[in-house]
Amino acid sequence: MGILLASLISLILYVIGAVIIAAVSSVSTGRVLKFATGLFIFGFIVMGIVNYFMMPAITVPNMLLMNLITAIVLLPTLMAILKPNNFMEKKVFTPLLGIYGLVLVLFIAVIITSFTVLDNAHQTITVSEEREAKPLSKDETPITVAPEFARNKIQKAMSVVPNAQFYDLGKLQVQQVEDEIVYVAPVEFADFWKFIRGKETAGYFTISATDVNAQPTFEEEPMEYTNSSYFHKYVQRVIYNKFPQYIQSGEAQIEVDDDGKPWYVQTIYKPMHITNKPNLDKLQVVVIDPVTGDMNAYQTDDAPDFIEGSISSDMATLTNDYYGKYVHGWLNSIFGKRDVKLPNKSGTESGVTPMFDENGDMFYFTDMTSPKENIDSALGYSLINARTGELTYYGGEKNNGIMDSNGAKQIVNKEFPEKKWEGSMPVLYNVDGNPTWVVNVLDPNGLHKQYAYIKADDSDFVVFGDTANAALDAYRMALLQDPGNTGATDDSATEMVQGTVSRVLVSSTEQGQVVQFLLEEDTTIYTVNSSKVPLAIFLEQGDTIEAEAQLLDNGTATVEAMEIEGLTE
C-alpha cells in the first residue's frame, strides 16, 4: 500500500502540468489527454519500481523532490510526443517553467525550515543532568564482552547451523534474557540466490555478554521476514508498506521474548512539521513477527517488556548530536559554539555503546568532547534510556578535564605495540568516586585478552587484568596505594568505625607505605596510606583506633582519617 501511495503522490506535479498543457497547447485536448494518460501509466510503473527499492517515506521534502524529478522528465517527454518539431512552444513552456520554479522554491523553503526546526527538535529531548554517576559496585558487571569478540566466537560456531552455506551472521543485539545479559545474533541469507533456495533462515545464536569464557548457543527458530530477505519478505519493506508516512531509524534488530521466540524491532517516527526531523518525544517502535509478518506499533516505553532497545542505537546517536550541538540553537552550533558538546564515535553500535544498570535497564553510553580541534579531553558523558529516550548527562567537577574515549583507546594501543592488541568498547564508570575508563583489550583477530582500567584524569594510571573482577580489585588497590588519590568524594558513604586492631600489615610500594589492618570481630580489610595518616606505620596489634572510612562493597574500606589511642591524641 505504501509503495502505491508514494507512486501516486510522486505524479501530482506531472498531472498538474499535463492539465496546463491540455488547456493552453494548440494540440487538441483529446490528443493531449490520450498521451498524458499513457505517460502517467508509464510513470506510475517506473515510480512503483523506484519506490519499491528506495522506499522513500511519504514526507513533504521527499514528495516535493520526487514530484520535481518526475515532472522534469515526463512533461518535456509529453511535449516532444505531441509536437516533435516545436515542443518548446512558448505559451506552454512559460507556465510549466513557472510551476517548476514554484516547487523548487517550496523545496528550498523546506530545506531552510529543516535547519530552523533543529532548535525545536533539541527541545523535544527529555534531559536530566547529574554531577557524577553513582559509584560502581562489585555486584554490577563493570563492562560487557566486546561485540567483536562475541562475533568472532559465533562465527566459529556457524557449522552447527543446518545448511550453513546459505547463511551469514547478522547484526548482534545485546539484551537481557532470563536475568542474563547476552548478545543475540540472527543468521541471515548470504545472498539473493541463497534466499531463493532457502526461503527461510534457520534461527539465531546467543552468547553471554559478560563472560568471556562462555560459548555460543544456537536456537533453531526459522524466520521468513528478515533483514536479508528479498521482495515482500524484507522487514523494512513490510514496515514501509504499512507505515509509509513514518521514517525508519537504522536497521531492524532482533530481540527474544521470554519463551525464546525472536522478534524484529524497528524504531520509527513521524517528522516534525514539513521537515524530516524527528520529534524525539514521540518515537514509536514496530514489533514484527518474523514468521507471519504480523506487526504492531507502540510508543517506545509501552513496547512489550522483553524489548530492551525499543529506541535504536542510530536514534540514540542522533539524540546525542541534537543535545550537544543545538543547546543554544542552530546558529550557535555554527557561529560561536557556546556550550556546544560533540559526541565521540567510539561506541560499538552507531557510535554509542549499550550497557545495563543494576536494575537490568539498558542505556546507550557516549562521551562528549569539545568542538575545538586538537582537544582530547571529555566534557562529560551521556546515558540514554533505551526504552524512554531520556538522556542523562553526567558532567560536574569530577568530569572536567578527563581524557575522552579515543584517548583511553590510544593508551591501550600503545601498551602492546608488538602484539598489536587494541582497545575496544571504552566505557566511563565512577569507581569509588574516580572517573575511570574500562576498556576491552582485543588481539588482531578480535579475541579478548585483558581488561584495562584507566584513571580518566591520569593517563599514567593504568591497571590490566585477565577478568573484569580481577582488574577491578587490582585497580581499587592501586587507588588505595596512590597518595595523590583524592579519596572519597562529598557524595561517597563514609562511616565512623572504632575497635581494637587484631592484625597489621605494612607494605612498601612505589607510591609510599600502605598500612592494612583488621579489627577484632570485623572481617573488613581497612587500608590507609601513610601520606594521609603518617603515624599509621607504627600501628600495632592491640591498638585502639577510631577512623573515618569509606566502606566499599568488596569487603574492604579506605581510611580517610584515623585517631590512634596513645599516638595521635
Side-chain angles (χ1 to χ4, degrees):
M1 180 62 186
I3 294 170
L4 296 178
L5 184 59
S7 300
L8 283 173
I9 294 176
S10 300
L11 292 166
I12 291 176
L13 187 59
Y14 165 74
V15 172
I16 293 174
V19 171
I20 292 174
I21 292 173
V24 303
S25 175
S26 56
V27 181
S28 66
T29 302
R31 178 176 167 83
V32 172
L33 293 179
K34 174 183 175 181
F35 286 102
T37 301
L39 269 181
F40 178 87
I41 295 173
F42 171 77
F44 181 78
I45 294 173
V46 171
M47 292 309 300
I49 295 172
V50 170
N51 291 330
Y52 183 82
F53 290 101
M54 292 184 60
M55 295 176 288
I58 300 178
T59 63
V60 173
N62 293 351
M63 293 302 102
L64 278 176
L65 182 61
M66 299 292 279
N67 270 276
L68 196 58
I69 292 173
T70 54
I72 288 175
V73 173
L74 294 181
L75 290 177
T77 302
L78 176 61
M79 288 299 301
I81 293 173
L82 294 173
K83 301 189 72 174
N85 298 322
N86 189 23
F87 78 98
M88 296 291 287
E89 189 177 5
K90 184 175 181 180
K91 62 181 179 179
V92 175
F93 179 75
T94 300
L96 288 185
L97 189 61
I99 65 170
Y100 286 151
L102 177 62
V103 174
L104 182 59
V105 169
L106 288 175
F107 182 72
I108 293 173
V110 167
I111 297 301
I112 295 173
T113 303
S114 68
F115 288 107
T116 62
V117 301
L118 287 171
D119 299 2
N120 297 334
H122 175 272
Q123 294 170 9
T124 64
I125 305 173
T126 303
V127 178
S128 62
E129 297 189 357
E130 303 287 343
R131 285 183 58 230
E132 60 180 287
K134 296 178 181 179
L136 178 69
S137 71
K138 189 179 177 71
D139 294 332
E140 294 174 288
T141 303
I143 195 166
T144 55
V145 175
E148 300 97 321
F149 176 62
R151 174 174 287 276
N152 185 289
K153 272 197 169 184
I154 297 175
Q155 290 281 18
K156 294 179 179 179
M158 282 289 288
S159 58
V160 304
V161 180
N163 297 311
Q165 70 275 12
F166 282 14
Y167 309 112
D168 286 331
L169 190 62
K171 177 184 177 182
L172 271 68
Q173 172 64 28
V174 66
Q175 71 169 108
Q176 185 168 318
V177 178
E178 297 181 351
D179 298 326
E180 183 183 5
I181 300 173
V182 299
Y183 283 110
V184 181
V187 293
E188 302 277 11
F189 291 111
D191 55 43
F192 174 76
W193 298 112
K194 299 299 191 298
F195 163 74
I196 295 297
R197 292 191 61 188
K199 294 184 173 54
E200 63 183 18
T201 60
Y204 63 90
F205 281 94
T206 62
I207 186 172
S208 174
T210 61
D211 181 3
V212 295
N213 297 315
Q215 297 301 316
T217 301
F218 178 69
E219 303 293 339
E220 195 164 341
E221 289 281 347
M223 294 178 277
E224 294 185 30
Y225 296 84
T226 73
N227 282 326
S228 59
S229 299
Y230 289 80
F231 306 125
H232 62 290
K233 298 294 182 71
Y234 178 39
V235 164
Q236 190 171 348
R237 185 169 293 116
V238 175
I239 296 174
Y240 175 78
N241 267 328
K242 188 169 183 180
F243 302 100
Q245 71 275 34
Y246 287 81
I247 295 176
Q248 300 184 43
S249 172
E251 183 181 57
Q253 60 197 28
I254 192 171
E255 297 211 24
V256 178
D257 65 18
D258 296 336
D259 297 322
K261 176 179 173 56
W263 301 79
Y264 273 96
V265 178
Q266 177 68 303
T267 305
I268 62 174
Y269 65 89
K270 266 189 176 180
M272 295 178 66
H273 311 307
I274 59 173
T275 74
N276 283 344
K277 305 303 180 185
N279 183 331
L280 296 169
D281 192 40
K282 294 183 178 179
L283 301 177
Q284 296 190 46
V285 60
V286 174
V287 182
I288 180 170
D289 188 328
V291 177
T292 65
D294 295 336
M295 71 185 82
N296 290 298
Y298 307 88
Q299 296 296 318
T300 54
D301 54 346
D302 292 332
D305 292 340
F306 72 87
I307 295 175
E308 266 84 30
S310 53
I311 291 176
S312 68
S313 55
D314 297 78
M315 185 55 65
T317 297
L318 187 65
T319 301
N320 280 318
D321 283 336
Y322 284 8
Y323 169 73
K325 289 181 181 178
Y326 308 120
V327 58
H328 296 305
W330 170 63
L331 286 176
N332 180 72
S333 70
I334 300 175
F335 308 104
K337 300 184 179 181
R338 179 168 60 93
D339 297 330
V340 168
K341 299 178 284 288
L342 299 180
N344 271 317
K345 305 295 183 181
S346 300
T348 59
E349 293 185 13
S350 304
V352 295
T353 297
M355 56 186 293
F356 288 79
D357 68 4
E358 66 275 13
N359 300 317
D361 296 326
M362 191 170 93
F363 294 81
Y364 293 110
F365 165 88
T366 193
D367 61 310
M368 301 281 191
T369 189
S370 169
K372 188 176 181 180
E373 294 183 2
N374 302 320
I375 297 294
D376 59 359
S377 62
L379 300 175
Y381 65 96
S382 72
L383 292 178
I384 296 177
N385 189 297
R387 280 181 64 93
T388 67
E390 180 178 355
L391 184 152
T392 303
Y393 180 72
Y394 296 91
E397 183 179 348
K398 274 285 182 179
N399 292 325
N400 286 340
I402 63 176
M403 76 182 76
D404 64 10
S405 55
N406 289 324
K409 289 199 298 185
Q410 288 302 317
I411 287 175
V412 174
N413 296 349
K414 293 176 182 178
E415 189 74 20
F416 307 100
E418 71 287 351
K419 298 179 180 179
K420 296 183 180 179
W421 292 359
E422 293 187 349
S424 174
M425 201 168 112
V427 178
L428 187 66
Y429 286 92
N430 180 341
V431 179
D432 306 332
N434 296 276
T436 303
W437 284 108
V438 184
V439 186
N440 270 252
V441 183
L442 306 180
D443 72 7
N445 296 318
L447 297 178
H448 174 86
K449 291 302 179 181
Q450 288 184 327
Y451 289 102
Y453 277 67
I454 307 169
K455 196 174 179 184
D457 57 2
D458 185 355
S459 60
D460 295 324
F461 199 108
V462 185
V463 173
F464 292 89
D466 293 334
T467 67
N469 284 335
L472 175 58
D473 290 341
Y475 179 73
R476 278 175 159 164
M477 181 57 66
L479 289 174
L480 296 176
Q481 295 173 351
D482 182 11
N485 187 36
T486 57
T489 65
D490 294 339
D491 295 332
S492 299
T494 59
E495 296 183 13
M496 295 302 298
V497 296
Q498 57 184 0
T500 302
V501 176
S502 61
R503 294 285 191 276
V504 181
L505 175 65
V506 180
S507 304
S508 295
T509 70
E510 294 180 358
Q511 291 81 22
Q513 289 182 302
V514 174
V515 179
Q516 292 179 288
F517 61 90
L518 299 176
L519 298 178
E520 293 180 355
E521 299 181 356
D522 186 354
T523 58
T524 302
I525 301 173
Y526 295 92
T527 303
V528 58
N529 197 298
S530 61
S531 65
K532 292 184 177 180
V533 185
L535 292 176
I537 60 175
F538 300 107
L539 194 66
E540 294 180 347
Q541 182 179 353
D543 285 342
T544 300
I545 64 97
E546 183 175 344
E548 180 183 348
Q550 180 187 1
L551 301 179
L552 306 179
D553 52 274
N554 59 347
T556 65
T558 305
V559 175
E560 301 297 326
M562 184 170 67
E563 297 289 337
I564 306 172
E565 185 176 333
L567 286 180
T568 57
E569 293 181 352

